[in-house]
Amino acid sequence: MATVLICRRFPRLSRVTTFLTTAKRKAGSGSSKSKQKKEENSETANTGTESVATIQLLNPLDYRVSYNPSAYAKSRAASWQHAAGNSGQALGDTFTSRGTTQVQHTFGTTSSQALPPIRNTLPKPKPKPLLEQTISTQLSAAQTKEEAEKEKTETHDSKEDPRVFQKGRPEYRSLSYDKFEPIETLPLEEGDLILHSVAVCKGSQSPETITDYFRKLSCLPVEQHAALVSELSFNTLCRCAVKNIRLFNTSDLIDILKACIRLVVPPTHPLLNACENEFCRRVWDMNLDQLLLVADCWRCLERSVPSYLSILFSYANIHWKDLTLPQFVQLMYIIGEGRRSPVDLTQKVESMILKYLDSFTLEEVGAICLGLFKSLSGISDHIMRKIADRVSLQMEDMSTYALVNVLKMLRYTRMDHLPLLKELGKVIPTRIPTINIQGVMHITLTCSSLHYFDEGILAAVAVSLPSKVTYCRSKDAAKFLWSFGCLDYEPPNEEEFYSSLIEQMHRKLHEFRKFPEHLLTGLLGLAFVKRFPEELIDYALRYEFVQKTRGSKYELKKDLFTLSKSVEIECPSYQGNRLPPQLYEEVTEMVLNFAEQEIYVRPEIVEAASLLESMLGGPEYVKNHMILPHTRSSDLEVHLAMDGHPIPFNLKGSIADKKLKDIGVSLTDDLMTQLIKGRSNSQSPVKVENEARTPGQERGKEAQTLRVGDCAALSVGAVIGDARLQVEPKLGHCLEASPSLTLNRQPQRVKLAVQVSNRNHYCFCSKRLLGLHCLKRRQLRQLGYVVVELPFWEWFPLLKRTRLEKLSYLHYKVFDPALLSRAG
């Protein structure tokens, strides 16, 4: 009789049990929510033979191990699990919902078909003798091992990995839900009898009995949970609990919540709605351990409870001084998982970190940093430096997962902690082959965000990545490309490295429709190192994609502008989509307005422009502007004739200077001659320039006054010459000198782009130029400019020296004979 009841309430029970046993033998201990969901899907959807059901359940695309706290651990065996196919998907914060893996593989096939040139599978890595010379023997051996294990599936559980710190102290047992706590399995017959009793009594049981039923039913075998939740009798039990919700004591209500976690009750279930309302009502009658435990249960149920968290934070704010170390760390975890940063707790959080910093375990330090990072909580440089100090001294003993969390916060606070970064270069390279792909991405992104170049780290990443590239999300692939491009690093295996990532970008094209910023990030990273995949660029510049960027939470117009203009300059044969002219105009105006307010007025640039004008003969010889607005930095443009003489070309500067300086000029014979003939008999611009070129000599006040008068006269003569030749160029629209300024004769010239660099143009503590500025200088040369740099390590100290020293330095830079020979 019992068997009949079981078959009726749990259809196809025996077959499910058989399949689960098979899966367990392959997966080891533990089972995840996603696996339960997939079992439910395969069970309800299968109407064919048992062999079909077996194939569905053991499909390697759906296979996943829920808990792997060693996903970032040192041991290689702990970070990989076997699977039957070579397809896989890294599990992360963005794409970890149940059933996502299957959808992604479906889209991947579609995108590959839409772009025929891209192959469906990656080519097998070729022997790399150069890599073996560059990377250590240990890393090479690890890479060879990885290539042999391409059939294995990388695992990372974004729900469980952040909770590893809870295993370090027994106190967390009362503050958090432990899904791996041993539970005695309830016999199926007893579960059926409970459901039968609920159906007969129709929910008239006492609160204690209802709680006991939930506890027992949650102890049924895992494979029965999905069928149980859909049972009519179980829903009757839930309605009974909702009806009597205020009659339960707090401990019993927490036990019902725990039972719902084990049964994987959907987060929107009516029972959970009632529980949330009741817990919000009871907050002030509960202790802090209970409040934190309930918050942890909501996290395990994947239910957003902003109202409950607000009340919890208010409670914690009042009882802040009573927080124990485990309570504080658990609270920081809850703050991070809730993605909320209580403003009134910021100073108190910092005081607690200082109080317990030496007592935290390294895993707890990582958990606190992750909580701060996820909640976008600000933290003072002083506190972050204290954390970094401790980590730099104990990095060898720290799990990679905890270390990555510290690096995330280091990146967020823009903390350039050199001891930690140097230690990272010693510890991380040998761990790279065993780290989850998202961990590798965060390590790489931290280096690029802090502009810290470490060839050992980047080379190790480049060696490891091609064999694991299929586990990259669109975000991961884009960040890898951006990081390597930002640091202007092309690894020894550059062709294999970049081709594998570009192919993955093609496979993830469907994800860029939802996250357009990732595609632009990756393409800009490629542009920095002079790589332009035309099919992806054509897709990024098409009208539909540009429209999608407008809906992004990021401002992407500048990135589109930089990409499109770079293609225009460096890929003249490109025939694909381009940005519309009105968007060019809109972004150019935006960038130039910013430059006028923030860039052109920087002291080091203003000083250089002023001295160059003085040295060369006036503002018509120098133009402070953006030659390439899409590179978002300024230039001081100077034109020289092939004999080294400066050529006036900045008509706008000349006219503006005339308006300011032509008041009070004496009407001398020389000036009258110039007004009539268009030239000065007393002193030519060449003579003025030759005076400025005399090294070690600074003219007195009298000579400077005469020179200003001559410059003004030259400006007047130039304008009159314009009128005589009937050539009136529009101000502000011409970078080249008009024919009138050279008396209708255009000499061969050298165009100089003088760069006043600063520390942000270079890698941290080095003279290695960053990718964007490499791109800019490359494009300037392609357009015919000769780049002259005033590097910050030379120019900034000179700003405090005498005018003569600065003029002498600029003369040396601008009139370097090598510039003319290079241009010729």
Side-chain angles (χ1 to χ4, degrees):
M1 186 65 175
T3 304
V4 174
L5 289 171
I6 291 171
C7 291
R8 177 172 57 83
R9 294 196 173 99
F10 303 106
R12 294 181 292 279
L13 173 63
S14 59
R15 185 168 53 184
V16 175
T17 305
T18 302
F19 295 154
L20 183 74
T21 303
T22 305
K24 281 187 175 181
R25 280 200 298 267
K26 287 186 176 288
S29 61
S31 57
S32 69
K33 298 176 184 177
S34 61
K35 186 167 71 175
Q36 294 163 6
K37 182 69 176 177
K38 291 178 179 94
E39 289 167 358
E40 177 188 353
N41 291 343
S42 63
E43 183 62 26
T44 55
N46 176 32
T47 58
T49 63
E50 289 195 11
S51 60
V52 175
T54 303
I55 291 172
Q56 287 182 338
L57 278 168
L58 298 182
N59 188 332
L61 301 184
D62 285 344
Y63 179 77
R64 174 181 164 196
V65 177
S66 169
Y67 177 58
N68 183 12
S70 302
Y72 290 102
K74 300 176 185 177
S75 170
R76 178 173 193 75
S79 64
W80 293 86
Q81 296 291 337
H82 282 283
N86 69 345
S87 297
Q89 172 64 40
L91 305 174
D93 292 339
T94 309
F95 300 100
T96 52
S97 60
R98 292 189 289 271
T100 300
T101 306
Q102 184 67 46
V103 174
Q104 288 178 335
H105 280 280
T106 302
F107 278 134
T109 304
T110 304
S111 63
S112 297
Q113 292 172 350
L115 297 163
I118 301 303
R119 295 185 295 276
N120 289 327
T121 57
L122 292 177
K124 292 184 178 179
K126 298 178 181 178
K128 302 174 287 294
L130 184 57
L131 283 179
E132 292 173 0
Q133 299 172 13
T134 307
I135 312 300
S136 66
T137 305
Q138 183 177 5
L139 270 178
S140 298
Q143 173 62 13
T144 303
K145 201 172 182 181
E146 288 218 346
E147 290 175 356
E149 296 179 355
K150 287 183 70 175
E151 297 296 311
K152 295 187 177 181
T153 302
E154 187 175 63
T155 59
H156 165 52
D157 194 323
S158 62
K159 300 297 185 294
E160 284 302 321
D161 289 341
R163 302 166 65 84
V164 174
F165 74 93
Q166 295 170 350
K167 312 300 177 187
R169 297 179 191 270
E171 293 90 335
Y172 288 112
R173 293 173 188 167
S174 62
L175 305 175
S176 60
Y177 172 78
D178 184 4
K179 66 183 295 185
F180 301 101
E181 181 183 358
I183 296 174
E184 185 177 351
T185 303
L186 184 74
L188 299 177
E189 293 80 2
E190 188 172 344
D192 187 72
L193 291 173
I194 290 174
L195 291 175
H196 181 68
S197 175
V198 171
V200 170
C201 297
K202 299 187 187 241
S204 60
Q205 293 91 343
S206 66
E208 292 78 11
T209 302
I210 294 172
T211 304
D212 188 55
Y213 283 173
F214 272 103
R215 290 194 197 101
K216 290 180 176 179
L217 289 172
S218 68
C219 294
L220 282 168
V222 173
E223 63 269 23
Q224 306 301 326
H225 291 175
L228 173 64
V229 172
S230 62
E231 269 288 308
L232 182 60
S233 296
F234 180 76
N235 288 325
T236 301
L237 182 64
C238 291
R239 286 196 298 271
C240 182
V242 171
K243 180 180 178 181
N244 298 284
I245 195 76
R246 295 202 173 188
L247 301 178
F248 293 95
N249 62 48
T250 300
S251 296
D252 286 344
L253 207 54
I254 292 174
D255 283 347
I256 291 177
L257 215 54
K258 290 181 177 180
C260 289
I261 296 173
R262 285 192 287 271
L263 293 171
V264 197
V265 172
T268 56
H269 197 283
L271 174 60
L272 298 184
N273 295 341
C275 287
E276 180 186 352
N277 293 334
E278 183 61 19
F279 278 120
C280 286
R281 191 183 68 82
R282 295 189 188 196
V283 163
W284 301 104
D285 299 322
M286 298 163 63
N287 60 50
L288 189 55
D289 280 11
Q290 289 176 323
L291 292 173
L292 292 171
L293 174 57
V294 170
D296 197 64
C297 288
W298 291 129
R299 173 58 181 158
C300 294
L301 286 162
E302 300 183 23
R303 181 181 172 91
S304 176
V305 287
S307 298
Y308 178 83
L309 291 181
S310 293
I311 303 173
L312 167 62
F313 298 151
S314 297
Y315 185 103
N317 193 34
I318 294 173
H319 298 86
W320 193 258
K321 293 182 179 179
D322 301 327
L323 285 178
T324 64
L325 185 153
Q327 287 175 335
F328 170 70
V329 178
Q330 181 67 16
L331 179 63
M332 292 306 301
Y333 165 74
I334 295 299
I335 288 174
E337 296 307 304
R339 305 306 200 269
R340 298 193 57 196
S341 176
V343 179
D344 53 344
L345 294 183
T346 301
Q347 289 186 347
K348 295 178 180 179
V349 165
E350 293 195 359
S351 67
M352 292 296 281
I353 292 174
L354 280 179
K355 178 180 178 181
Y356 291 123
L357 184 57
D358 294 333
S359 302
F360 291 135
T361 66
L362 292 172
E363 291 300 319
E364 287 172 333
V365 172
I368 290 169
C369 286
L370 184 60
L372 292 168
F373 178 78
K374 284 186 174 182
S375 61
L376 302 178
S377 299
I379 187 173
S380 67
D381 287 353
H382 174 66
I383 300 298
M384 191 65 238
R385 195 166 293 280
K386 287 283 188 182
I387 293 174
D389 287 341
R390 182 178 173 193
V391 170
S392 63
L393 296 175
Q394 297 179 282
M395 193 179 293
E396 279 280 4
D397 303 322
M398 197 172 195
S399 76
T400 308
Y401 184 78
L403 175 58
V404 166
N405 292 336
V406 174
L407 293 180
K408 289 178 182 178
M409 200 58 199
L410 200 72
R411 184 174 87 226
Y412 180 73
T413 56
R414 306 291 298 177
M415 173 66 67
D416 50 355
H417 193 280
L418 194 56
L420 185 147
L421 293 172
K422 285 184 175 180
E423 189 65 18
L424 189 72
K426 298 176 184 176
V427 171
I428 279 296
T430 55
R431 293 192 193 182
I432 290 292
T434 67
I435 301 175
N436 175 276
I437 199 70
Q438 291 175 46
V440 178
M441 181 273 288
H442 281 296
I443 292 167
T444 312
L445 185 59
T446 297
C447 290
S448 67
S449 296
L450 299 179
H451 297 171
Y452 182 70
F453 178 80
D454 187 299
E455 188 168 8
I457 294 175
L458 296 178
V461 172
V463 170
S464 177
L465 188 64
S467 64
K468 300 196 291 185
V469 74
T470 52
Y471 309 132
C472 287
R473 303 166 297 173
S474 59
K475 176 181 179 179
D476 301 324
K479 297 298 186 184
F480 279 123
L481 291 172
W482 169 266
S483 298
F484 275 67
C486 176
L487 297 173
D488 190 38
Y489 179 65
E490 297 201 37
N493 64 332
E494 58 181 284
E495 291 305 324
E496 180 189 22
F497 174 79
Y498 281 111
S499 64
S500 66
L501 281 170
I502 290 171
E503 288 185 19
Q504 185 67 2
M505 295 276 280
H506 276 275
R507 282 191 288 267
K508 295 295 179 181
L509 203 60
H510 62 280
E511 292 181 11
F512 296 130
R513 295 165 191 160
K514 187 175 182 181
F515 304 102
E517 62 272 11
H518 297 332
L519 179 57
L520 295 179
T521 295
L523 290 176
L524 285 176
L526 286 166
F528 293 162
V529 291
K530 204 174 182 179
R531 291 177 183 269
F532 298 92
E534 292 194 5
E535 291 168 331
L536 291 175
I537 291 170
D538 180 66
Y539 181 84
L541 297 181
R542 67 175 56 175
Y543 175 80
E544 296 80 8
F545 186 83
V546 172
Q547 290 301 111
K548 285 185 181 296
T549 64
R550 297 182 182 275
S552 172
K553 62 181 178 180
Y554 303 100
E555 172 53 68
L556 300 178
K557 286 186 287 190
K558 292 179 183 178
D559 291 343
L560 284 167
F561 182 51
T562 301
L563 176 64
S564 186
K565 279 294 184 183
S566 295
V567 170
E568 186 179 307
I569 294 171
E570 301 201 55
C571 303
S573 62
Y574 173 74
Q575 299 295 323
N577 288 299
R578 298 181 185 273
L579 291 183
Q582 60 268 25
L583 187 57
Y584 275 144
E585 295 173 7
E586 178 187 344
V587 183
T588 300
E589 184 179 0
M590 181 194 311
V591 171
L592 294 180
N593 287 339
F594 174 80
E596 289 175 357
Q597 298 174 17
E598 301 290 338
I599 299 179
Y600 300 156
V601 296
R602 290 175 182 168
E604 67 272 16
I605 295 176
V606 170
E607 180 76 352
S610 174
L611 289 169
L612 283 172
E613 288 177 6
S614 175
M615 183 178 76
L616 297 176
E620 63 269 30
Y621 291 90
V622 182
K623 187 169 185 178
N624 180 6
H625 68 135
M626 287 184 173
I627 299 174
L628 302 176
H630 65 277
T631 61
R632 310 172 203 177
S633 56
S634 68
D635 315 271
L636 298 174
E637 186 172 358
V638 172
H639 292 190
L640 299 179
M642 294 308 294
D643 60 359
H645 293 165
I647 300 174
F649 70 99
N650 184 13
L651 182 60
K652 182 177 180 180
S654 175
I655 297 297
D657 187 62
K658 178 187 75 66
K659 289 179 179 178
L660 291 173
K661 297 179 181 178
D662 65 0
I663 298 175
V665 175
S666 301
L667 196 61
T668 62
D669 291 340
D670 289 338
L671 180 56
M672 286 298 297
T673 302
Q674 183 177 4
L675 290 172
I676 296 171
K677 297 183 178 180
R679 57 181 295 182
S680 171
N681 291 330
S682 63
Q683 191 175 20
S684 68
V686 173
K687 184 177 179 182
V688 173
E689 184 273 331
N690 285 336
E691 285 186 16
R693 291 182 62 185
T694 305
Q697 190 176 17
E698 187 158 15
R699 292 189 300 273
K701 184 176 180 182
E702 206 173 32
Q704 290 178 2
T705 304
L706 175 62
R707 181 174 168 185
V708 168
D710 286 336
C711 291
L714 174 63
S715 300
V716 174
V719 174
I720 292 179
D722 279 0
R724 185 174 65 247
L725 297 171
Q726 296 183 354
V727 177
E728 295 188 19
K730 296 179 180 179
L731 297 181
H733 289 274
C734 183
L735 293 176
E736 300 291 343
S738 67
S740 63
L741 287 176
T742 55
L743 300 180
N744 207 24
R745 193 162 60 96
Q746 180 75 28
Q748 190 176 1
R749 65 181 63 195
V750 178
K751 296 185 293 184
L752 303 184
V754 181
Q755 311 284 298
V756 183
S757 66
N758 61 58
R759 288 175 177 81
N760 289 334
H761 295 177
Y762 289 86
C763 292
F764 179 58
C765 290
S766 81
K767 295 180 181 179
R768 184 185 185 89
L769 204 61
L770 292 172
L772 175 61
H773 301 285
C774 288
L775 172 143
K776 174 184 176 178
R777 297 186 186 192
R778 185 175 72 233
Q779 292 179 3
L780 284 170
R781 294 187 188 100
Q782 195 156 341
L783 293 175
Y785 285 87
V786 175
V787 176
V788 177
E789 182 183 10
L790 310 183
F792 70 88
W793 57 87
E794 294 176 358
W795 180 241
F796 279 43
L798 275 173
L799 294 177
K800 299 177 182 178
R801 308 298 289 270
T802 66
R803 176 182 173 85
L804 180 60
E805 288 175 294
K806 288 180 278 192
L807 282 170
S808 177
Y809 173 79
L810 290 174
H811 174 270
Y812 165 76
K813 283 288 187 177
V814 171
F815 295 108
D816 182 0
L819 298 179
L820 298 176
S821 62
R822 196 186 313 163

